[in-house]
Amino acid sequence: MNPPPSALAPFLRACAVWTALVGLVAFLSGSASAFFLWSLDAVTRVRFEHGWLIWLLPLCALATLLVYRRFGGESGRGTDLILDHIHEPGAGVPFRLVPLVLGGSLLTHLCGGSAGREGTAVQMGGGIAGAVLAWCKVRAERHPMILMAGVAAGFGSIFGTPVAGAVFAAEVLTVGRFRASALPLCLAASFLADRVCHAWGAAHSAYRIAPVAAAPLDYARALAVGLACGLAARLFLAGGHGFGKLLAKLKPFWLKAFPGTVAVLALTLLLGTDAYLGLGTLPSAPGALTLGSCFVNEPIPALAFLWKGLLTVLTLSAGCKGGEVTPLFFVGAALGHALAVPLGLPVDLAAGLGFVAVFAGASNTPLACMVMGVELFGVSHAPLVACACVAAFLAGGPGSLYAAQRRAPGWFFRR
């Protein structure tokens, strides 16, 4: 139904305002993601060329803790701060979140910390959205939608999965409640940010799965991969929360920088490889273990998923900045690789299922992970991806990567 003529001008004005706000947030977020991806690749290669940099990881954690204590304020809460401001708009998301998390994440990767990039991109998108809201003096009731658009823009552009980015922003806030009303704006922001990121020349890693004709038994196998990934996600969250609470008791506060980072260095020496440091997407030497290795039918360490998860928990609990998602992709893909032969699945398919399923279990966003699986691996694998993601979500337990995530009243699965 068309609006009456008397309401046409306000309607068009509102459309113009929303378009301008979302477009500005998407352009800035996509540009920030492109710069982050380029910088991340650069600092990782510098670390490969100068292996001694990993010994500075304890000092990296210490510097990050001190800078955030001095200048961060609420920014130290990261993604949870953005989610809380979407739930209940308040003073706004401070722009200083952007340079702090960007600088902290690059420093972590320069020194070999095991961390990801999703947390950085989402926080940059939220911080940019918060700055746009403040600069343009936007009314408080419009804040949640624009912040969600910032989250979608950051997530979609950093992984090259714009639809998953939009769905993630609409799903992550509340378990059991999908914010469908925000989906159009989130889709617009995510697609535009992804196009801007590509226009700047940023590239994303590609992981391929060969087409297969799924047999009935394959669905049971996909469920088994999903259940294993859900348990792995539960273990990851328990380790992160438990170790984080333990370190938070140390006085003075900066002492927490040392136990986890020293353990990272010791474990790296014990394992005799740097394959589990950094993102794990670039090889430090020809033939080195990477995330892409999990999709190839060649042997990798059976406990690769455990070592990557443990080193990530130790790195982030020490105060280093970065995301959890790319390490979780590594954990899931490595676990899928280990389960492929026992379950009778192709290695690339099992790795792909684990790739998305473990994130579904850790973030309580199975729908976004299903969409991501389709965007990354193709629609022919959608039924198996859905089975794995739902199973991981159900097995993942009551925890979440995001403390600010809520649960809808009456949600049938009371976790």
Side-chain angles (χ1 to χ4, degrees):
M1 182 177 179
N2 295 325
S6 60
L8 187 58
F11 173 76
L12 293 177
R13 186 162 53 248
C15 288
V17 169
W18 284 110
T19 300
L21 290 173
V22 171
L24 183 57
V25 168
F27 175 79
L28 294 175
S29 297
S31 300
S33 290
F35 177 77
F36 178 49
L37 287 171
W38 177 84
S39 302
L40 194 56
D41 183 77
V43 299
T44 300
R45 295 189 185 280
V46 169
R47 176 175 67 82
F48 289 162
E49 295 168 2
H50 305 282
W52 56 267
L53 285 169
I54 67 172
W55 299 104
L56 300 181
L57 185 60
L59 295 181
C60 159
L62 176 62
T64 302
L65 286 172
L66 293 175
V67 168
Y68 265 82
R69 174 60 69 96
R70 177 66 178 84
F71 303 104
E74 280 196 307
S75 298
R77 298 184 56 223
T79 303
D80 286 327
L81 174 65
I82 299 169
L83 298 185
D84 274 339
H85 279 281
I86 295 174
H87 287 302
E88 298 176 11
V93 178
F95 179 72
R96 63 177 175 270
L97 178 63
V98 177
L100 284 173
V101 73
L102 175 61
S105 297
L106 292 178
L107 185 60
T108 297
H109 287 91
L110 179 65
C111 297
S114 177
R117 54 194 175 188
E118 158 271 343
T120 304
V122 166
Q123 289 175 49
M124 289 196 301
I128 288 169
V132 168
L133 292 171
W135 295 337
C136 298
K137 295 181 172 57
V138 178
R139 296 197 303 269
E141 60 268 22
R142 291 180 174 174
H143 287 198
M145 288 286 196
I146 301 301
L147 288 173
M148 290 176 69
V151 169
F155 191 100
S157 60
I158 204 68
F159 292 126
T161 54
V163 181
V167 175
F168 174 81
E171 184 182 22
V172 71
L173 294 168
T174 308
V175 180
R177 177 179 296 166
F178 186 79
R179 304 287 184 95
S181 59
L183 195 57
L185 287 181
C186 290
L187 281 169
S190 190
F191 269 102
L192 179 55
D194 181 56
R195 290 297 90 201
V196 169
C197 188
H198 280 286
W200 283 114
H204 300 93
S205 301
Y207 305 101
R208 304 299 180 194
I209 298 178
V212 295
L217 189 57
D218 288 335
Y219 293 95
R221 293 166 174 155
L223 288 172
V225 172
L227 290 173
C229 287
L231 295 177
R234 182 184 286 225
L235 181 63
F236 180 88
L237 294 174
H241 293 157
F243 196 56
K245 289 179 180 179
L246 183 64
L247 293 182
K249 297 178 181 179
L250 295 177
K251 303 295 181 183
F253 76 95
W254 48 264
L255 284 178
K256 70 177 289 188
F258 298 103
T261 52
V262 171
V264 168
L265 298 177
L267 190 55
T268 299
L269 286 176
L270 181 65
L271 294 173
T273 177
D274 63 355
Y276 307 112
L277 299 179
L279 275 177
T281 58
L282 295 175
S284 57
L289 174 64
T290 65
L291 178 53
S293 305
C294 301
F295 288 79
V296 180
N297 193 15
E298 295 180 1
I300 67 171
L303 295 180
F305 72 95
L306 181 62
W307 303 131
K308 183 61 176 178
L310 178 57
L311 287 174
T312 304
V313 164
L314 293 172
T315 297
L316 297 180
S317 298
C320 294
K321 293 301 172 182
E324 302 94 346
V325 176
T326 304
L328 281 173
F329 289 161
F330 193 118
V331 169
L335 180 57
H337 187 286
L339 293 173
V341 172
L343 291 177
L345 283 171
V347 168
D348 57 348
L349 176 59
L353 294 178
F355 184 105
V356 291
V358 76
F359 181 45
S363 65
N364 296 318
T365 56
L367 184 57
C369 294
M370 293 178 207
V371 174
M372 175 177 279
V374 172
E375 286 188 282
L376 291 175
F377 309 129
V379 70
S380 63
H381 302 292
L384 296 179
V385 167
C387 288
C389 289
V390 171
F393 167 64
L394 295 176
S400 173
L401 288 175
Y402 312 108
Q405 189 178 63
R406 300 182 180 182
R407 282 167 176 74
W411 174 236
F412 79 95
F413 187 46
R414 298 180 180 275
R415 303 199 299 163

